[in-house]
Amino acid sequence: MIAQFFQTVDLGIKSLLVQKLRAGLAALGIFIGTSTVIWLVAMGEGVSYRAQQQILELGAKNVIVRTVKPNAGGDEDANSRVKTYGLLRADYRRIVENIPNIRRAIPMRELKFELRLDDRTADAKLVGCVEEYLELNRLQIARGRWLSPRDRGKKVIVLANETAKRLFPYENPIGRAIWVGSEFYTVIGQTKDRTASAAIGGSLDSRDYNLDAYIPLKTLRQRVGDLVMKRVGGGQGFNFVGEDVELSQITVEVNHIEEVDETAQIIETLLRKYHETQDYAVVVPRELLRQAERTRTMFNVLLVVIAGISLLVGGIGIMNIMLATVTERTREIGVRRALGATRSDIIGQFLIETVVLTASGGLAGVLFGLSVGPVFRFIKRAIMTISPDSLPPIVDSLEPRIAMWSVLLSLGISLGVGVIFGVYPARKAAYLDPIEALRHE
Amino acid sequence: MTHLADHRSDQLDQNAAGDYAFRVENIFRTYFLKGETVHALRGVSFDVRNGEYIAIMGPSGSGKSTLLNVLGCLDRPTSGRYLLDGDDVSKISDYQLSRIRGRRIGFVFQSYNLLQQLNVMENIKVPLQYQGLIGKDANQKCRELANLVGLGDRIYHRPTELSGGQQQRVAIARSLVNDPYFVLADEATGNLDSKTTEEVLDLFESLNNSGKTIVMITHEDEVAARAKRIIRLRDGKIESDVLNQDRPQ
């Protein structure tokens, strides 16, 4: 049985090799189909893996409450130049006092601020924070030290890597003083580079930590205050608008991951009582993760459908070739029938020949698909050499991740295509009249 | 020449089944083509004993090809019986016909009909494969047959690398590989020149001398002259069935 099967496979290979170019072109369709599945899925997995990592950076045990600028219009004081909104220090106290099972809650206020030193400036994000902020966001100190409880209310500042580079391109910033608005702050530390984390709440961009500057929350409140005036518009004279925000974000960490959803709901209910407008958002990274998972699944389904279509087209090509082959080899079929081949022998022969064709295309496609990493990096490097800035950052940082299921699926489909599209030509061959077939020129 | 029909039927009654290779009884074959009825065979009866060498002759349209198809189990008669080693194969299924072709009949065609993608050895082996006979014994047998037809040194050659006469020898080797009840040759020398025709006919004769039953369909008198018995067909009937006494010894 098995020996006979291998003999038929051997015969199939020999028959295909008679028309090498034709077999090659027919298998090309399957090759492209299978390698496309693996490539696309690997790209998609790469993107979604990074998204997941970014979400995980937010902390799976965290509930993040963020200030969101409410929609303009409908306001009772639309003419007012100062908009007051967002999370309050009172909210922070309420959360800490009323919600049991939370491990800690960390308040934070951030705003765009210009830092200066002589003629150098940096448009940094000034973050008023507490000591736990470092650990919460997995920041690391490159030199100097992080904020300590003793610093509360003092004019000290920790610079993120990029901020430090802009202000101190050549020198060590530790111990130096820089301008924050109209006051001098002493630099006490510098953080290492840190990859961005996922976008949350009102902000669309992912959170980039590298242009930050950290000062104690208390200092920010006392020295800068809640109200921030900005110059807007052009024309003559100055035109200022102000935003009065107490806290930008409260990160609540719960004890157990299962409590995340429940805690988020309690916070939501609690805050709703005290906020007339929806000027805050409760974000659960775990929920984001689930959303990302759903997006990923949808994306994969889409890819598989596309790939399925390309394999269908490939399969039709295969069937076309096999029908031509059957017509060309009518005489051979007649001879084989005369020499004792039953109809099922003929079906087996042509079916196996088709499967050999699609499987070899599929295998080659899998091999090429598996090389997605090196090939993609090579292409990326080639493009970077030709024009360094042409790649969007998402492509630049993309690392394809091969999904085992996509390899198995595409291989399975390529075999299946062989069987499905091989049956008709094979049956056609088997049901030829042997007498007619023998007479065929 | 002596007429056979009478005394042979006496013998058949006396002999039990098994002494003859096959026997056809009152075979009719009628085709229906585009509303027209064609009577290709109209009551053909004869039998062939083991070890006979017969030639079936006749002009085109005499029913020669139809008879070949029936004898080769490629076609079923419309009526009548075809007994092959005692089994009536005139009404069996396509599957069973295929099995019988593979086990009991050895085909030799006019245009050799070797499979181009296979070498000599593999071509000879094809009928065995359809009976599940593969392995060392099969290879050994194919090698012996290649030697028998004088191509032992060319077993790994492709058909395209062989002359017409050599290809036909391979085809003859292939027809023998399944130890058939008889070899059915259809104009086996039709594509060959006179020298290679002689060689191939010599081969058939030596096979017959060693006991093989040979049925040769031909329209050439020189080819038929080498057979021991000649059946002539005309208009779907047997015109004559004679022993060939002019056969060169």
Side-chain angles (χ1 to χ4, degrees):
Chain A
M1 252 332 254
I2 291 165
Q4 228 168 341
F5 173 78
F6 280 112
Q7 200 133 28
T8 317
V9 171
D10 180 57
L11 172 69
I13 294 169
K14 279 180 181 145
S15 305
L16 289 169
L17 286 180
V18 173
Q19 297 262 12
K20 291 190 192 68
L21 179 66
R22 191 161 78 175
L25 288 176
L28 191 62
I30 302 297
F31 169 82
I32 291 172
T34 43
S35 49
T36 306
V37 179
I38 296 171
W39 271 69
L40 288 182
V41 171
M43 296 290 177
E45 290 286 303
V47 170
S48 75
Y49 176 77
R50 211 184 40 172
Q52 285 189 5
Q53 287 306 108
Q54 288 181 348
I55 294 168
L56 284 176
E57 294 282 343
L58 296 172
K61 279 197 217 167
N62 290 348
V63 176
I64 296 171
V65 189
R66 263 189 89 78
T67 289
V68 179
K69 198 172 179 175
N71 292 331
D75 251 311
E76 70 279 5
D77 51 355
N79 295 328
S80 162
R81 288 204 169 153
V82 176
K83 289 208 161 54
T84 305
Y85 64 89
L87 297 168
L88 307 169
R89 279 179 284 274
D91 291 331
Y92 171 69
R93 276 197 305 277
R94 281 183 207 115
I95 289 171
V96 174
E97 285 163 12
N98 292 323
I99 301 180
N101 58 39
I102 60 173
R103 202 159 86 88
R104 59 183 174 184
I106 297 158
M108 183 269 274
R109 164 92 170 108
E110 59 184 7
L111 49 134
K112 283 251 186 259
F113 223 84
E114 192 183 67
L115 310 182
R116 271 184 301 125
L117 178 69
D118 303 333
D119 56 345
R120 285 193 289 271
T121 62
D123 279 321
K125 182 173 275 181
L126 191 63
V127 180
C129 55
V130 292
E131 298 77 39
E132 291 98 324
Y133 191 83
L134 180 82
E135 182 223 321
L136 183 74
N137 290 291
R138 295 186 191 80
L139 294 169
Q140 285 178 310
I141 291 293
R143 46 186 167 188
R145 62 173 180 87
W146 179 245
L147 304 170
S148 76
R150 285 179 293 119
D151 297 322
R152 289 180 189 169
K154 289 193 184 147
K155 292 193 286 178
V156 290
I157 191 162
V158 175
L159 301 178
N161 194 32
E162 189 61 32
T163 321
K165 267 196 238 164
R166 291 201 186 170
L167 294 174
F168 300 96
Y170 313 113
E171 308 114 89
N172 182 349
I174 308 298
R176 303 283 301 267
I178 58 167
W179 286 99
V180 178
S182 55
E183 289 187 293
F184 270 120
Y185 279 63
T186 308
V187 179
I188 57 166
Q190 182 184 342
T191 59
K192 286 184 185 167
D193 258 330
R194 183 196 185 288
T195 50
S197 69
I200 50 164
S203 60
L204 279 172
D205 298 328
S206 55
R207 176 82 168 88
D208 179 9
Y209 291 90
N210 294 328
L211 257 173
D212 283 355
Y214 309 99
I215 62 173
L217 183 61
K218 192 172 176 189
T219 312
L220 185 80
R221 183 183 164 195
Q222 289 173 345
R223 300 273 155 193
V224 183
D226 300 332
L227 176 66
V228 178
M229 300 302 284
K230 269 195 293 188
R231 214 181 112 185
V232 293
Q236 291 167 339
F238 298 119
N239 205 1
F240 285 99
V241 293
E243 292 188 344
D244 191 347
V245 177
E246 291 189 10
L247 290 175
S248 306
Q249 180 175 319
I250 302 168
T251 309
V252 180
E253 192 182 330
V254 299
N255 287 319
H256 300 288
I257 198 160
E258 301 81 34
E259 298 164 355
V260 166
D261 295 320
E262 196 188 347
T263 310
Q265 277 186 347
I266 297 172
I267 294 173
E268 178 85 52
T269 320
L270 181 68
L271 292 180
R272 203 180 297 139
K273 270 189 247 173
Y274 299 95
H275 289 255
E276 286 177 8
T277 51
Q278 188 69 29
D279 55 356
Y280 63 91
V282 180
V283 181
V284 183
R286 198 160 161 244
E287 177 57 27
L288 288 180
L289 208 60
R290 267 173 271 172
Q291 277 175 10
E293 191 61 36
R294 279 195 290 272
T295 316
R296 190 180 99 168
T297 309
M298 265 170 56
F299 190 59
N300 281 338
V301 167
L302 183 76
L303 290 184
V304 168
V305 168
I306 292 172
I309 291 171
S310 88
L311 282 169
L312 183 78
V313 173
I316 292 169
I318 294 274
M319 180 150 83
N320 193 14
I321 289 298
M322 288 313 291
L323 284 173
T325 301
V326 166
T327 308
E328 265 170 33
R329 285 159 65 190
T330 299
R331 175 72 80 91
E332 176 188 333
I333 294 159
V335 172
R336 288 182 177 280
R337 294 282 275 134
L339 298 181
T342 60
R343 281 182 180 146
S344 22
D345 287 331
I346 299 293
I347 289 182
Q349 181 192 340
F350 281 89
L351 205 54
I352 285 176
E353 195 168 319
T354 318
V355 171
V356 165
L357 190 61
T358 59
S360 51
L363 270 177
V366 164
L367 289 182
F368 185 62
L370 290 177
S371 70
V372 57
V375 173
F376 182 73
R377 274 192 289 278
F378 175 78
I379 294 172
K380 217 160 65 177
R381 213 176 311 129
I383 295 175
M384 291 291 265
T385 329
I386 299 162
S387 66
D389 295 324
S390 60
L391 281 180
I394 184 151
V395 178
D396 190 33
S397 61
L398 178 61
E399 255 315 302
R401 291 171 64 85
I402 292 162
M404 204 54 213
W405 64 264
S406 71
V407 175
L408 296 176
L409 180 82
S410 54
L411 203 57
I413 290 181
S414 69
L415 289 175
V417 163
V419 173
I420 291 166
F421 291 94
V423 164
Y424 177 67
R427 279 185 62 89
K428 202 180 161 200
Y431 281 84
L432 288 172
D433 176 7
I435 299 167
E436 293 291 324
L438 272 172
R439 212 178 287 153
H440 193 268
E441 285 308 314
Chain B
M1 288 194 185
T2 324
H3 267 267
L4 271 177
D6 295 0
H7 83 256
R8 284 196 66 84
S9 56
D10 298 341
Q11 275 188 351
L12 262 178
D13 292 338
Q14 289 156 19
N15 286 328
D19 194 30
Y20 55 90
F22 65 85
R23 178 175 177 181
V24 291
E25 291 177 353
N26 204 21
I27 292 272
F28 283 78
R29 182 65 176 99
T30 311
Y31 296 105
F32 302 96
L33 283 174
K34 293 171 192 164
E36 264 186 73
T37 311
V38 181
H39 299 284
L41 293 177
R42 316 159 180 242
V44 173
S45 302
F46 65 98
D47 52 77
V48 173
R49 297 164 65 85
N50 283 324
E52 272 197 285
Y53 183 178
I54 84 166
I56 296 174
M57 298 193 71
S60 60
S62 59
K64 215 170 32 169
S65 299
T66 308
L67 183 58
L68 165 88
N69 291 337
V70 171
L71 292 182
C73 288
L74 291 163
D75 196 7
R76 277 166 291 214
T78 312
S79 68
R81 295 211 302 163
Y82 174 24
L83 298 167
L84 198 52
D85 192 32
D87 300 329
D88 184 2
V89 297
S90 59
K91 288 172 184 67
I92 60 176
S93 71
D94 180 86
Y95 174 81
Q96 289 168 309
L97 279 179
S98 306
R99 306 299 283 172
I100 285 177
R101 285 196 296 270
R103 292 206 180 116
R104 304 190 184 175
I105 301 168
F107 281 94
V108 180
F109 305 95
Q110 178 173 1
S111 46
Y112 330 130
N113 281 340
L114 299 180
L115 303 177
Q116 301 302 317
Q117 66 268 44
L118 304 179
N119 64 30
V120 167
M121 181 83 168
E122 291 162 337
N123 262 294
I124 296 174
K125 220 193 300 181
V126 169
L128 292 184
Q129 285 167 9
Y130 289 123
Q131 293 169 60
L133 301 172
I134 40 182
K136 277 201 176 131
D137 292 351
N139 287 343
Q140 184 54 33
K141 185 162 193 187
C142 296
R143 221 178 290 266
E144 281 167 15
L145 284 169
N147 285 329
L148 178 74
V149 298
L151 288 168
D153 55 342
R154 289 195 167 76
I155 54 172
Y156 297 118
H157 286 228
R158 290 291 169 94
T160 45
E161 297 161 348
L162 301 176
S163 71
Q166 287 170 329
Q167 289 192 51
Q168 196 60 300
R169 286 153 183 272
V170 177
I172 291 168
R174 179 177 69 182
S175 76
L176 297 171
V177 78
N178 54 352
D179 293 321
Y181 292 3
F182 63 99
V183 173
L184 186 58
D186 177 21
E187 305 280 7
T189 57
N191 284 8
L192 302 175
D193 60 34
S194 53
K195 185 170 167 286
T196 42
T197 296
E198 282 303 310
E199 288 170 10
V200 166
L201 290 177
D202 287 345
L203 182 56
F204 275 120
E205 199 166 302
S206 74
L207 289 175
N208 179 241
N209 288 341
S210 64
K212 275 282 160 221
T213 312
I214 291 165
V215 177
M216 173 94 69
I217 313 276
T218 183
H219 65 271
E220 287 174 87
D221 291 326
E222 312 87 83
V223 174
R226 302 282 290 261
K228 290 178 182 166
R229 174 182 165 197
I230 300 172
I231 293 177
R232 286 179 197 274
L233 289 180
R234 185 174 286 275
D235 299 328
K237 287 179 176 166
I238 292 182
E239 188 185 51
S240 67
D241 182 352
V242 294
L243 285 178
N244 181 11
Q245 290 174 333
D246 306 335
R247 189 166 181 257
Q249 293 304 310

